[in-house]
Amino acid sequence: MNEYQNMNHENQKNIIVTGASSGIGAATSRALAAQGHRVFLGARREDSLRTLVADIQRDGGQAEYRRLDVTDHADFKNFVKAAEERFGPVDVLVNNAGVMPLSPVHDLRIEEWNSMIDVNLRGVLHGVASALPGMRSRRAGHIINVASVAGLRVDPTAAIYCATKYAVRAFSEGLRQENTDVRVTVVSPGFTLTELTDRGGNPEVRAAAHAAAEQFGIPATAAADVIAFAVAQPANVDINELVVRPTLQQ
């Protein structure tokens, strides 16, 4: 019996993960599958999803995927529907998809501002709007929103990114207060070795952020382990907020 088969059937959960093609999303998918959960993965890069699912299945885990654009509410609803058709009612939603094209405000990179708002905030709202009704009707469920330490402090060149992450934390707290049957968790990673610092934004700022992540960033598995910890808690325990950052990060 391998690690993917050690969980009692009654403890298995049907979990959907967004932004699953790389970084924290991919690491979380692997960690949750290793715990015996059934994972349904979404992202825009279908080739990466296909490879990840094949890896998980080869190791004995249960995983499927569907291409997902979190900025499209209808697409998110269809994603949740597909997950339910494959594995059954969604027990856990991990809203992980995010982008981080950093730049000073005076650069006026408005398209990138809108992209951060659309993916980082509107994507979370679309996920909740798609999964919450079913959870409320079943009086059970867990929503995990991946924010950032950028939702705890504001740094120059990250004003818009921080604004989206502050908004995710505020929204999550309101969602928690409105629901006594659905658990809500915010996970806020610090500098993490992912692809977030590889694309978009001001080139000099991007290079500096990438260098900082390379210098002392934590692996994506650190955030994945925190998410898996929250999922593993009993139904009457709601881990509301978890912050995981490199020891060297202020």
Side-chain angles (χ1 to χ4, degrees):
M1 179 178 293
N2 64 30
E3 62 180 339
Y4 289 83
Q5 298 171 318
N6 287 332
M7 175 176 288
N8 293 329
H9 179 74
E10 62 189 30
N11 294 325
Q12 287 181 323
K13 295 178 180 178
N14 301 325
I15 303 176
I16 58 179
V17 183
T18 72
S21 59
S22 65
I24 292 173
T28 298
S29 302
R30 293 181 187 275
L32 293 172
Q35 288 187 343
H37 301 296
R38 294 173 286 264
V39 295
F40 195 85
L41 314 181
R44 285 179 288 190
R45 290 182 292 176
E46 195 167 355
D47 289 346
S48 298
L49 289 175
R50 185 180 301 111
T51 299
L52 175 59
V53 165
D55 288 345
I56 292 174
Q57 291 177 343
R58 184 183 60 245
D59 290 336
Q62 298 182 72
E64 297 291 348
Y65 76 91
R66 182 184 185 278
R67 189 184 185 280
L68 170 66
D69 179 359
V70 300
T71 69
D72 184 334
H73 181 212
D75 194 39
F76 215 135
K77 288 177 65 176
N78 288 332
F79 175 75
V80 171
K81 181 180 179 181
E84 292 178 336
E85 290 175 349
R86 178 63 182 87
F87 290 133
V90 172
D91 299 306
V92 183
L93 161 65
V94 181
N95 269 320
N96 167 73
V99 293
M100 190 180 72
L102 303 178
S103 63
V105 174
H106 60 72
D107 273 7
L108 300 180
R109 294 174 177 265
I110 295 172
E111 286 190 10
E112 293 182 339
W113 296 358
N114 288 333
S115 177
M116 283 186 278
I117 293 168
D118 286 343
V119 176
N120 299 353
L121 177 55
R122 190 168 282 118
V124 168
L125 301 179
H126 289 165
V128 172
S130 301
L132 182 62
M135 292 179 177
R136 283 178 59 87
S137 68
R138 295 185 296 273
R139 302 189 66 180
H142 192 178
I143 293 172
I144 300 176
N145 294 329
V146 178
S148 168
V149 294
L152 300 166
R153 55 176 287 174
V154 179
D155 293 306
T157 73
I160 290 82
Y161 181 72
C162 291
T164 64
K165 295 303 185 177
Y166 267 82
V168 167
R169 289 183 63 241
F171 167 71
S172 300
E173 175 59 12
L175 180 66
R176 181 194 69 80
Q177 293 184 29
E178 291 178 3
N179 292 275
T180 57
D181 298 315
V182 177
R183 299 189 292 171
V184 180
T185 301
V186 177
V187 176
S188 295
F191 273 118
T192 306
L193 294 170
T194 71
E195 297 178 3
L196 268 184
T197 58
D198 292 346
R199 295 187 294 272
N202 179 287
E204 293 182 3
V205 175
R206 181 173 67 248
H210 184 78
E214 289 288 329
Q215 181 180 358
F216 56 80
I218 56 177
T221 53
D225 289 344
V226 165
I227 292 171
F229 168 76
V231 170
Q233 300 309 302
N236 65 334
V237 176
D238 188 1
I239 304 293
N240 300 143
E241 188 155 12
L242 291 161
V243 179
V244 53
R245 57 159 63 92
T247 304
L248 293 176
Q249 184 175 359
Q250 298 298 312

